[in-house]
Amino acid sequence: MDKTLIRELLADHSQNPRNYGTLTDPDIEHETSNPQCVGPTHPEGDEIAVTVKLSDETPPVVETVQFTGRGCTLSQATASLLTEQMIGTPATDIVEWDSETLEDLVGMDLTPSRLRCAELALVAFRNAVEDR
């Protein structure tokens, strides 16, 4: 994907996040952070919280997911992109997503520090499933 298109995609998802908010009475929820990524809008680091409603199927499928948070463009944009992909997907599949999945989603290779930003929503989802 063209670098300009990638920047535009990430900027759009960061400024106009999809699935932003908090679900009432979620089936699973979790919050996680990356204190290493600090900036003027997020002096404490990146933060992401996910709330999820799951189907009664086996394995459960994500019916609805929302996130809240603050942080760098990459953490917020990836959370928005990930939540779009999660809807309709079995939770067991999502917990298997990896750095390659994230790189495909954002359209670029991720250095270790960028990966920590990009994976926050996925880490929160995995932890929520594990806590269930």
XYZ file of all heavy atoms in Angstrom, residues 16-82:
499
model
N -11.242 9.662 13.675
C -12.652 9.257 13.589
C -12.763 7.767 13.890
O -13.115 6.968 13.012
C -13.204 9.528 12.184
C -13.018 10.955 11.758
O -13.579 11.855 12.343
N -12.188 11.172 10.749
N -12.435 7.386 15.125
C -12.384 5.946 15.428
C -13.746 5.283 15.302
O -14.772 5.841 15.680
C -11.872 5.903 16.866
C -12.206 7.238 17.436
C -12.166 8.201 16.299
N -13.702 4.083 14.742
C -14.913 3.262 14.648
C -15.028 2.475 15.945
O -14.015 2.135 16.549
C -14.797 2.294 13.468
C -15.034 2.886 12.084
C -14.234 4.105 11.780
N -13.982 4.270 10.342
C -13.089 5.108 9.889
N -12.356 5.838 10.709
N -12.910 5.241 8.601
N -16.241 2.191 16.348
C -16.514 1.383 17.536
C -15.951 2.003 18.810
O -15.561 1.298 19.730
C -15.983 -0.058 17.358
C -16.565 -0.715 16.138
O -17.768 -0.772 15.966
N -15.700 -1.186 15.254
N -15.906 3.327 18.864
C -15.394 4.006 20.051
C -16.522 4.171 21.062
O -17.615 4.590 20.721
C -14.819 5.381 19.697
C -13.997 5.965 20.821
C -12.651 5.648 20.946
C -14.568 6.800 21.764
C -11.889 6.152 21.976
C -13.816 7.312 22.799
C -12.477 6.985 22.902
O -11.721 7.487 23.941
N -16.270 3.804 22.277
C -17.246 3.933 23.351
C -17.131 2.751 24.292
O -16.194 1.953 24.213
N -18.095 2.647 25.167
C -18.109 1.566 26.154
C -19.461 0.881 26.116
O -20.502 1.545 26.163
C -17.870 2.133 27.571
O -16.631 2.856 27.569
C -17.797 1.038 28.602
N -19.460 -0.438 26.043
C -20.700 -1.204 26.070
C -21.192 -1.339 27.506
O -20.394 -1.545 28.418
C -20.476 -2.606 25.505
C -20.081 -2.696 24.034
C -19.709 -4.123 23.680
C -21.208 -2.207 23.155
N -22.493 -1.251 27.682
C -23.058 -1.540 28.994
C -23.222 -3.046 29.112
O -23.593 -3.720 28.154
C -24.416 -0.838 29.192
O -25.288 -1.213 28.139
C -24.258 0.674 29.200
N -22.907 -3.570 30.255
C -23.038 -4.995 30.546
C -22.307 -5.889 29.531
O -22.909 -6.786 28.936
C -24.524 -5.362 30.629
C -24.750 -6.704 31.308
O -23.935 -7.077 32.174
O -25.726 -7.389 30.952
N -20.991 -5.657 29.333
C -20.252 -6.496 28.390
C -20.029 -7.905 28.947
O -20.063 -8.118 30.165
C -18.919 -5.767 28.245
C -18.737 -5.096 29.560
C -20.130 -4.682 29.988
N -19.805 -8.837 28.059
C -19.456 -10.196 28.477
C -18.010 -10.274 28.947
O -17.694 -11.016 29.875
C -19.676 -11.183 27.327
C -21.131 -11.273 26.939
O -21.981 -11.371 27.843
O -21.422 -11.231 25.724
N -17.143 -9.539 28.271
C -15.745 -9.469 28.677
C -15.260 -8.035 28.527
O -15.775 -7.274 27.697
C -14.837 -10.431 27.878
C -14.887 -10.143 26.382
C -15.199 -11.887 28.169
C -13.889 -10.954 25.555
N -14.261 -7.673 29.327
C -13.671 -6.341 29.237
C -12.277 -6.376 29.847
O -11.985 -7.197 30.717
C -14.540 -5.298 29.942
C -14.755 -5.544 31.425
C -15.740 -4.566 32.033
O -15.609 -3.344 31.792
O -16.626 -5.018 32.749
N -11.445 -5.473 29.375
C -10.102 -5.376 29.922
C -9.479 -4.058 29.474
O -9.814 -3.536 28.419
C -9.227 -6.542 29.469
C -8.010 -6.731 30.308
N -8.027 -7.447 31.477
C -6.748 -6.274 30.168
C -6.824 -7.445 32.012
N -6.025 -6.722 31.228
N -8.552 -3.572 30.284
C -7.817 -2.348 29.967
C -6.331 -2.650 30.034
O -5.887 -3.411 30.896
C -8.165 -1.259 30.980
C -7.514 0.066 30.700
C -7.952 1.149 31.671
O -9.096 1.097 32.150
O -7.133 2.042 31.937
N -5.581 -2.063 29.132
C -4.135 -2.242 29.139
C -3.459 -0.947 28.707
O -4.112 -0.044 28.175
C -3.707 -3.429 28.238
O -2.351 -3.749 28.502
C -3.910 -3.130 26.777
N -2.160 -0.866 28.953
C -1.449 0.369 28.627
C -0.031 0.076 28.143
O 0.495 -1.024 28.308
C -1.395 1.286 29.852
O -0.629 0.681 30.876
N 0.558 1.075 27.549
C 1.940 1.052 27.107
C 2.588 2.331 27.630
O 2.543 3.365 26.965
C 2.023 0.978 25.581
C 3.439 1.073 25.063
O 4.395 0.935 25.812
N 3.576 1.328 23.772
N 3.164 2.292 28.832
C 3.727 3.505 29.418
C 4.954 4.046 28.687
O 5.360 5.184 28.920
C 4.074 3.093 30.851
C 4.151 1.614 30.841
C 3.263 1.139 29.717
N 5.549 3.267 27.783
C 6.725 3.737 27.052
C 6.388 4.741 25.951
O 7.253 5.498 25.530
C 7.498 2.559 26.421
C 8.302 1.770 27.411
C 7.463 0.736 28.144
O 6.485 0.251 27.609
N 7.848 0.419 29.365
N 5.158 4.744 25.463
C 4.779 5.647 24.374
C 4.074 6.864 24.968
O 2.871 6.849 25.206
C 3.871 4.937 23.366
S 3.499 5.976 21.929
N 4.841 7.911 25.220
C 4.273 9.127 25.805
C 4.299 10.253 24.792
O 5.111 10.263 23.868
C 5.024 9.542 27.090
C 4.871 8.493 28.166
C 6.479 9.822 26.811
N 3.384 11.169 24.960
C 3.311 12.328 24.084
C 2.493 13.411 24.749
O 1.978 13.217 25.860
N 2.333 14.541 24.098
C 1.606 15.659 24.705
C 0.152 15.332 25.065
O -0.364 15.828 26.050
C 1.661 16.764 23.649
C 2.546 16.290 22.565
C 2.855 14.857 22.784
N -0.483 14.480 24.267
C -1.878 14.124 24.544
C -2.011 12.911 25.458
O -3.098 12.592 25.900
C -2.645 13.816 23.235
O -2.024 12.695 22.598
C -2.663 15.014 22.311
N -0.892 12.247 25.715
C -0.919 11.033 26.529
C 0.370 10.904 27.357
O 1.171 10.024 27.126
C -1.170 9.789 25.662
C -0.234 9.665 24.499
N -0.291 10.459 23.392
C 0.809 8.829 24.278
C 0.663 10.130 22.540
N 1.355 9.126 23.073
N 0.544 11.833 28.328
C 1.783 11.849 29.116
C 1.997 10.595 29.963
O 3.122 10.321 30.390
C 1.643 13.096 29.988
C 0.182 13.375 30.027
C -0.375 12.884 28.726
N 0.958 9.828 30.198
C 1.079 8.595 30.975
C 1.307 7.378 30.074
O 1.439 6.265 30.549
C -0.205 8.365 31.790
C -0.647 9.565 32.598
C -0.031 9.579 33.972
O 0.091 8.500 34.564
O 0.325 10.671 34.435
N 1.302 7.585 28.755
C 1.453 6.493 27.810
C 0.142 6.163 27.128
O -0.904 6.743 27.420
N 0.194 5.219 26.205
C -1.005 4.763 25.501
C -1.876 3.934 26.432
O -1.363 3.151 27.237
C -0.628 3.869 24.313
C 0.123 4.603 23.222
O 0.062 5.841 23.163
O 0.774 3.916 22.408
N -3.194 4.089 26.296
C -4.149 3.301 27.075
C -5.296 2.867 26.182
O -5.794 3.665 25.381
C -4.711 4.129 28.233
C -3.674 4.578 29.224
C -4.225 5.532 30.280
O -5.386 6.012 30.137
O -3.501 5.810 31.233
N -5.701 1.619 26.324
C -6.837 1.077 25.572
C -7.663 0.213 26.515
O -7.118 -0.594 27.266
C -6.383 0.189 24.385
C -5.618 0.986 23.342
C -7.571 -0.548 23.756
C -6.453 1.865 22.451
N -8.979 0.380 26.469
C -9.908 -0.499 27.180
C -10.896 -1.038 26.154
O -11.378 -0.284 25.302
C -10.649 0.260 28.271
N -11.159 -2.339 26.210
C -12.130 -2.939 25.303
C -13.279 -3.536 26.107
O -13.076 -4.059 27.204
C -11.524 -4.023 24.385
C -10.493 -3.426 23.457
C -10.940 -5.157 25.169
N -14.478 -3.428 25.548
C -15.657 -4.082 26.089
C -16.285 -4.857 24.945
O -16.369 -4.359 23.815
C -16.663 -3.064 26.673
O -16.959 -2.056 25.699
C -16.114 -2.394 27.926
N -16.705 -6.105 25.235
C -17.118 -7.009 24.166
C -18.370 -7.782 24.555
O -18.485 -8.259 25.682
C -15.987 -8.031 23.861
C -16.367 -8.920 22.687
C -14.661 -7.334 23.617
N -19.285 -7.918 23.615
C -20.433 -8.826 23.747
C -20.173 -10.010 22.828
O -19.830 -9.836 21.652
C -21.730 -8.139 23.340
C -22.126 -7.018 24.262
C -23.431 -7.301 24.894
C -23.841 -6.072 25.712
N -24.724 -6.399 26.759
N -20.325 -11.206 23.376
C -20.082 -12.445 22.644
C -21.383 -13.205 22.412
O -22.310 -13.112 23.215
C -19.115 -13.331 23.420
C -17.731 -12.756 23.684
C -16.979 -13.615 24.682
C -16.949 -12.632 22.391
N -21.406 -13.980 21.346
C -22.564 -14.823 21.061
C -22.560 -16.021 22.002
O -21.571 -16.289 22.689
C -22.509 -15.313 19.605
O -21.473 -16.274 19.461
N -23.658 -16.765 22.001
C -23.762 -17.985 22.804
C -23.228 -19.203 22.051
O -23.290 -20.314 22.563
C -25.226 -18.230 23.207
C -25.725 -17.169 24.169
O -24.902 -16.620 24.925
O -26.934 -16.889 24.167
N -22.738 -18.993 20.844
C -22.212 -20.091 20.028
C -20.951 -20.679 20.657
O -20.345 -20.073 21.535
C -21.863 -19.581 18.626
C -23.030 -19.005 17.864
C -22.579 -18.314 16.595
O -21.839 -18.929 15.807
O -22.967 -17.154 16.405
N -20.566 -21.850 20.179
C -19.306 -22.446 20.574
C -18.478 -22.653 19.324
O -18.890 -23.428 18.457
C -19.533 -23.800 21.286
O -20.406 -23.588 22.388
C -18.235 -24.383 21.769
N -17.344 -22.005 19.182
C -16.800 -20.993 20.081
C -17.574 -19.676 19.944
O -18.193 -19.429 18.904
C -15.355 -20.822 19.599
C -15.410 -21.151 18.138
C -16.476 -22.213 18.009
N -17.521 -18.847 20.990
C -18.250 -17.571 20.932
C -17.686 -16.651 19.845
O -16.490 -16.629 19.595
C -18.052 -16.967 22.316
C -16.978 -17.753 22.969
C -16.828 -19.031 22.246
N -18.600 -15.936 19.217
C -18.265 -14.988 18.159
C -18.474 -13.579 18.713
O -19.410 -13.335 19.473
C -19.168 -15.227 16.926
C -18.995 -14.137 15.881
C -18.891 -16.603 16.330
N -17.612 -12.654 18.322
C -17.753 -11.263 18.743
C -18.962 -10.662 18.035
O -18.994 -10.585 16.809
C -16.477 -10.446 18.440
C -16.712 -8.968 18.725
C -15.302 -10.982 19.232
N -19.958 -10.278 18.821
C -21.146 -9.626 18.258
C -20.948 -8.120 18.182
O -21.304 -7.493 17.192
C -22.376 -9.957 19.102
C -22.795 -11.403 18.978
C -24.053 -11.722 19.761
O -24.440 -10.959 20.679
O -24.657 -12.766 19.464
N -20.420 -7.554 19.249
C -20.185 -6.118 19.332
C -18.925 -5.892 20.150
O -18.690 -6.593 21.134
C -21.363 -5.400 20.035
O -22.588 -5.801 19.416
C -21.237 -3.904 19.952
N -18.139 -4.918 19.744
C -16.938 -4.551 20.494
C -16.771 -3.049 20.420
O -17.049 -2.436 19.390
C -15.679 -5.288 19.965
C -15.447 -4.998 18.500
C -14.439 -4.942 20.776
N -16.392 -2.473 21.543
C -16.082 -1.053 21.576
C -14.794 -0.860 22.360
O -14.422 -1.705 23.178
C -17.216 -0.244 22.197
C -18.443 -0.195 21.301
C -19.406 0.900 21.692
O -19.712 1.091 22.851
N -19.886 1.628 20.692
N -14.150 0.251 22.095
C -12.936 0.568 22.826
C -12.924 2.034 23.211
O -13.591 2.860 22.595
C -11.678 0.235 22.001
C -11.338 1.268 20.951
C -10.378 2.247 21.211
C -11.955 1.265 19.716
C -10.061 3.197 20.255
C -11.639 2.207 18.748
C -10.690 3.185 19.021
N -12.178 2.335 24.241
C -11.882 3.707 24.618
C -10.386 3.767 24.852
O -9.734 2.743 25.064
C -12.626 4.151 25.901
O -12.276 3.257 26.970
C -14.129 4.155 25.708
N -9.855 4.942 24.834
C -8.441 5.082 25.120
C -7.901 6.408 24.659
O -8.618 7.260 24.150
N -6.601 6.521 24.877
C -5.880 7.693 24.407
C -4.460 7.244 24.130
O -3.984 6.252 24.683
C -5.925 8.824 25.425
C -5.313 8.467 26.748
C -5.563 9.546 27.766
N -5.062 9.058 29.052
C -4.399 9.779 29.902
N -4.170 11.046 29.648
N -3.975 9.275 31.032
N -3.819 7.961 23.242
C -2.455 7.599 22.923
C -2.061 8.055 21.542
O -2.712 8.906 20.938
N -1.004 7.450 21.048
C -0.472 7.823 19.745
C -1.447 7.424 18.627
O -2.358 6.621 18.828
C 0.895 7.176 19.529
S 0.858 5.381 19.334
N -1.223 7.997 17.482
C -2.061 7.708 16.318
C -2.120 6.213 16.041
O -3.192 5.663 15.786
C -1.524 8.460 15.078
O -1.615 9.860 15.328
C -2.292 8.098 13.832
N -0.983 5.533 16.102
C -0.938 4.116 15.780
C -1.770 3.279 16.745
O -2.523 2.405 16.317
C 0.502 3.616 15.744
C 0.703 2.184 15.289
C 0.144 1.959 13.885
C 2.181 1.817 15.339
N -1.681 3.555 18.041
C -2.449 2.752 19.004
C -3.950 2.945 18.825
O -4.718 1.981 18.860
C -2.044 3.065 20.448
O -2.495 4.341 20.866
N -4.369 4.164 18.594
C -5.792 4.443 18.465
C -6.340 3.978 17.113
O -7.432 3.412 17.038
C -6.054 5.939 18.667
C -5.566 6.463 20.020
C -6.127 5.702 21.187
O -7.329 5.708 21.433
N -5.262 5.025 21.942
N -5.583 4.205 16.055
C -6.023 3.774 14.724
C -6.097 2.258 14.641
O -7.058 1.702 14.092
C -5.084 4.317 13.657
N -5.108 1.573 15.190
C -5.119 0.116 15.136
C -6.270 -0.442 15.950
O -6.904 -1.421 15.540
C -3.775 -0.475 15.614
O -2.720 0.131 14.873
C -3.734 -1.975 15.406
N -6.574 0.169 17.091
C -7.726 -0.279 17.879
C -9.005 -0.160 17.059
O -9.845 -1.064 17.055
C -7.835 0.528 19.170
N -9.156 0.924 16.337
C -10.328 1.122 15.486
C -10.375 0.073 14.375
O -11.417 -0.560 14.146
C -10.290 2.531 14.890
O -11.345 2.744 13.992
N -9.260 -0.122 13.702
C -9.194 -1.115 12.626
C -9.438 -2.530 13.153
O -10.165 -3.320 12.536
C -7.829 -1.054 11.942
C -7.586 0.165 11.054
C -6.094 0.380 10.825
C -8.324 0.016 9.740
N -8.834 -2.855 14.288
C -9.012 -4.192 14.869
C -10.457 -4.456 15.249
O -10.975 -5.543 14.998
C -8.123 -4.364 16.100
C -6.695 -4.781 15.860
C -5.887 -4.669 17.142
C -6.612 -6.192 15.303
